[in-house]
Amino acid sequence: MNNNQQTPKKRIIDVDIHESVLYKDLFKYLDNPYRRYIEDANWIQEKHLPYTQPSVAGVNRADAKTPDGGIAGSDLPFMQEQLLDDIGHEYGILTGALDPSPSSMHGWYEMATALASAYNDWQIENWLEKDERLYGSVHINAEDPSGAVREIERVGSHPKMVQILLPIDDKMWGDPYFHPIYEAAEKHDLMIGMHHNEPPIYYGKWPRYFIEWHSLLPTTHMMMVTNMIFNGVFEKFPNLKLMMIEGGFTFVPHLMWKLDQQYNDLRHEVPWIKRKPSDIMKEHIRFCTQPSEELNKKDFLSIIDQMGSEEMICFATDYPHWDFDSPHRAIPNFDSDLKKKLFSENARAFYPKLK
């Protein structure tokens, strides 16, 4: 535990912090034959993103590389110094994962399940148990729902595990095939966090440039929210909530209007939906400030007014990524009550395990 923590300048709950891991760090937690495949046969996960990286340090801040030259986000003391202590976090939610997520692996689901389990044990021992401010995400191989449920049963009751992390890619997680995962989540007071994971953003293909892909990421979040609502996830699991991570929030009013209009016209196709989609969103779904469009105060307040709720937005830095958002710049200088909601209280209300 770091004993030199500063008094927080703001009560910040950061819902998107990316810790990083190397395969060798997981060997302690990974049984054979899976460890042997990596250690002896040089197995690595397939990569999807076809672009050059957007900054001099790839997808990370150049100054976030560890003092010994390690990858950004891989050293807890340095993260404490650069982020948690410097800004004054009350809590931070870890959303790092293997790249890509075990739930995005194509085939060989046994390896994906083993990696998810090893990652959870590594995260608990090396991060959650060493800083009281950090809370974690349960990693699973969602392609194997029964195996995913076993992993949730194994670590989901840990008091510092607050959500199940799912990648936004080419899987539509509202499908009833995945509903056992949400049943297990409810049982353990776990929310669902979704974060894009190198997904194609249209028709399973890639645009030509990174700037196109990155600009259109909100469309993947829109697709997933639509899928979760109309497949009845929140009607079937009334205590479940969903955090949409690193997709921003400015698209939300449009999506609320569109889904309500479509529901008015086509509700006969989804008779299990008993409420307007916008009401389901207000009760069950939260969105992150990051990546901030750097709105002025008037425009930011206009988006909140169009949402019809001050409770739907939660603050995120996305540390240590290249488009990191500082709490000193990402949000305009609002009145104290609204700032408190955005910086901490909306997230506290969302995650039951936060005190």
Side-chain angles (χ1 to χ4, degrees), residues 155-275:
V155 298
S157 60
H158 192 287
K160 298 193 76 181
M161 286 294 198
V162 297
Q163 67 187 359
I164 297 166
L165 192 64
L166 292 173
I168 302 175
D169 52 20
D170 58 354
K171 314 293 190 307
M172 301 306 286
W173 299 120
D175 191 300
Y177 177 74
F178 302 109
H179 286 191
I181 294 170
Y182 307 135
E183 182 178 5
E186 271 199 328
K187 177 180 176 181
H188 292 284
D189 285 332
L190 296 169
M191 303 298 103
I192 302 298
M194 291 190 183
H195 190 296
H196 57 265
N197 192 73
E198 301 187 0
I201 49 81
Y202 64 98
Y203 304 121
K205 300 179 181 178
W206 295 94
R208 290 182 64 193
Y209 300 110
F210 180 89
I211 190 172
E212 295 179 76
W213 176 78
H214 199 256
S215 297
L216 291 172
L217 282 175
T219 64
T220 68
H221 290 243
M222 294 170 71
M223 287 189 292
M224 194 58 65
V225 168
T226 302
N227 177 258
M228 293 286 283
I229 289 175
F230 286 139
N231 277 271
V233 172
F234 303 109
E235 304 294 279
K236 188 174 181 180
F237 305 102
N239 296 318
L240 193 71
K241 294 183 180 179
L242 170 64
M243 181 71 74
M244 301 301 294
I245 304 168
E246 204 176 319
F249 64 92
T250 55
F251 63 89
V252 174
H254 162 75
L255 185 61
M256 297 171 84
W257 301 330
K258 174 59 68 174
L259 297 188
D260 281 356
Q261 181 269 324
Q262 292 293 291
Y263 178 67
N264 286 338
D265 290 348
L266 299 170
R267 70 177 73 189
H268 60 274
E269 189 180 22
V270 287
W272 47 85
I273 306 301
K274 305 300 182 183
R275 298 172 286 167

Side-chain angles (χ1 to χ4, degrees), residues 90-114:
E90 181 181 4
Y91 298 124
I93 311 301
L94 297 178
T95 56
L98 291 164
D99 189 12
S101 162
S103 291
S104 291
M105 289 176 59
H106 295 155
W108 205 11
Y109 299 139
E110 297 84 357
M111 172 64 98
T113 297

